[in-house]
Amino acid sequence: MRSDGTAVKQLFTSLVSSLGRETATRELKWMKSAALIASHSPTLPAMLQRRLSGEPLQYILGTTPFGPLDLLTRPPTLIPRPETEHWTLQLADLLTPTPARPLTVLDLCTGTGCIPLLLCHLWPPGSTRAYGVDISQDAIRLATDNAARCNIPLSHASSLAPYSQNVFIPVLGDLRNPDVFKRVLPPFDVITANPPYIPKREYDELPISVKNYEDPAALLGDPPGSEEQDGLTFYRLIAQLLAQKGMLREGSIVALEVGQGQADAVEAILQQSAGLRKTQVWKDPWNVKRVVLARA
Ligand SMILES: C[S@@+](CC[C@H](N)C(=O)[O-])C[C@H]1O[C@@H](n2cnc3c(N)ncnc32)[C@H](O)[C@@H]1O
């Protein structure tokens, strides 16, 4: 039988062929430290083997950084992406809630809870109550576990009691079903969403490491039965929601992540269907128009 050392060398050589030396070396370092830190973690050869079969590194390690947070990652919930981290940090800098002037955040399609949990972490204690809505049980469970990991207490949807810490409220529900909004308390000062936005034809071209591991419902912009196939179905739904009386206050902020090439269309949807005229677009670090921002 081969020793672990020989197996690791051979597996690493294969990883270099598939990812290039620089990335393979970096990933090996992370896997080694995960194997050292967590006693329950898989062995190094097992991790390398999984990586070679295409599994995303973040699922193998079980965590990913998101700003100063270190969030749990579990398949099939979408792994938070660097572009989402970038604009969430930018949004956190834009607003300055205080316990005297607290904000209520509604994050639609919350996944790991990365967006509301980062805002809760960065804003002053007692200034933020954040809802995270998702259709997936796995996602809501993971967001709840992540809140505990980040020391952000859970609250109840109906509780308006004053709070000394920032609180997170996970809500299992389907954006397409208006009943979900009976379980949250508008108006909202900030509405964020990174909804599924990939058109089917682009989804078909995604690498195996995405398609075989991450939930298609987290990626496909037009769920089965949608009228359009442009990846924008969720933005139309969100705009209808924003148009409802009492959802926003004057000055509320809406921040929606978009796919490459979608910003202009989403800006038009927000203006025409939600009546939000004050819009702007933020670019990501790769110079792609990534977020449509609107002020009520
Ligand atoms: C692109 S992921 C974003 C996750 C997380 N916000 C992030 O940025 O990493 C989209 C999320 O939308 C959720 N989702 C899909 N369809 C939904 C629906 N009809 N109602 C509510 N959430 C939905 C998926 O379960 C998934 O977690």
Side-chain angles (χ1 to χ4, degrees):
M1 211 176 115
R2 284 175 309 167
S3 72
D4 256 19
T6 316
V8 166
K9 268 190 199 146
Q10 287 180 354
L11 291 164
F12 177 67
T13 306
S14 308
L15 199 65
V16 170
S17 313
S18 90
L19 301 177
R21 182 160 297 277
E22 203 182 318
T23 307
T25 307
R26 201 172 46 235
E27 293 201 359
L28 178 68
K29 203 172 102 192
W30 286 328
M31 288 185 229
K32 273 183 178 164
S33 59
L36 274 179
I37 294 166
S39 52
H40 58 275
S41 134
T43 63
L44 191 53
M47 286 196 256
L48 284 161
Q49 198 65 263
R50 282 167 64 184
R51 188 69 185 113
L52 277 169
S53 56
E55 185 168 348
L57 181 69
Q58 296 89 338
Y59 284 154
I60 299 170
L61 299 178
T63 60
T64 192
F66 196 75
L69 303 178
D70 188 44
L71 296 176
L72 299 169
T73 45
R74 288 197 297 257
T77 305
L78 190 107
I79 298 162
R81 304 295 202 259
E83 49 271 32
T84 309
E85 176 189 46
H86 180 260
W87 70 256
T88 307
L89 289 169
Q90 204 175 334
L91 181 67
D93 279 347
L94 182 75
L95 302 168
T96 46
T98 64
R101 301 188 59 173
L103 295 183
T104 303
V105 176
L106 174 65
D107 181 52
L108 301 168
C109 303
T110 203
T112 55
C114 54
I115 298 166
L117 294 177
L118 184 53
L119 297 176
C120 281
H121 177 83
L122 292 173
W123 285 340
S127 71
T128 311
R129 142 199 268 101
Y131 293 93
V133 177
D134 205 288
I135 196 173
S136 151
Q137 286 266 16
D138 289 311
I140 287 298
R141 227 173 275 131
L142 187 56
T144 304
D145 291 348
N146 271 323
R149 185 175 173 84
C150 301
N151 296 317
I152 294 163
L154 300 186
S155 180
H156 294 293
S158 57
S159 164
L160 269 178
Y163 43 99
S164 57
Q165 287 174 278
N166 292 339
V167 295
F168 178 62
I169 304 140
V171 180
L172 180 67
D174 184 344
L175 267 191
R176 293 163 296 181
N177 179 350
D179 280 356
V180 70
F181 297 101
K182 292 187 186 144
R183 287 183 282 132
V184 296
L185 291 176
F188 302 103
D189 303 286
V190 181
I191 296 193
T192 52
N194 174 17
Y197 53 62
I198 301 182
K200 176 76 169 71
R201 61 178 188 286
E202 284 178 31
Y203 178 83
D204 292 338
E205 304 296 316
L206 287 176
I208 294 296
S209 62
V210 176
K211 270 198 294 190
N212 281 8
Y213 295 91
E214 292 184 293
D215 188 356
L219 296 159
L220 276 166
D222 306 301
S226 303
E227 275 175 31
E228 314 273 351
Q229 290 299 315
D230 52 5
L232 302 178
T233 297
F234 281 93
Y235 301 102
R236 295 191 184 93
L237 271 168
I238 293 171
Q240 281 170 19
L241 203 104
L242 298 176
Q244 284 173 24
K245 209 165 167 267
M247 284 295 280
L248 301 173
R249 306 177 205 273
E250 204 184 326
S252 293
I253 297 260
V254 176
L256 306 183
E257 180 169 325
V258 298
Q260 190 152 9
Q262 293 177 333
D264 295 346
V266 171
E267 208 174 2
I269 290 172
L270 283 184
Q271 293 186 353
Q272 286 155 23
S273 307
L276 295 169
R277 307 260 163 246
K278 291 179 244 167
T279 57
Q280 58 170 296
V281 172
W282 282 352
K283 287 188 175 174
D284 70 16
W286 300 273
N287 211 28
V288 173
K289 290 181 177 180
R290 184 57 71 190
V291 177
V292 177
L293 206 81
R295 226 179 235 279

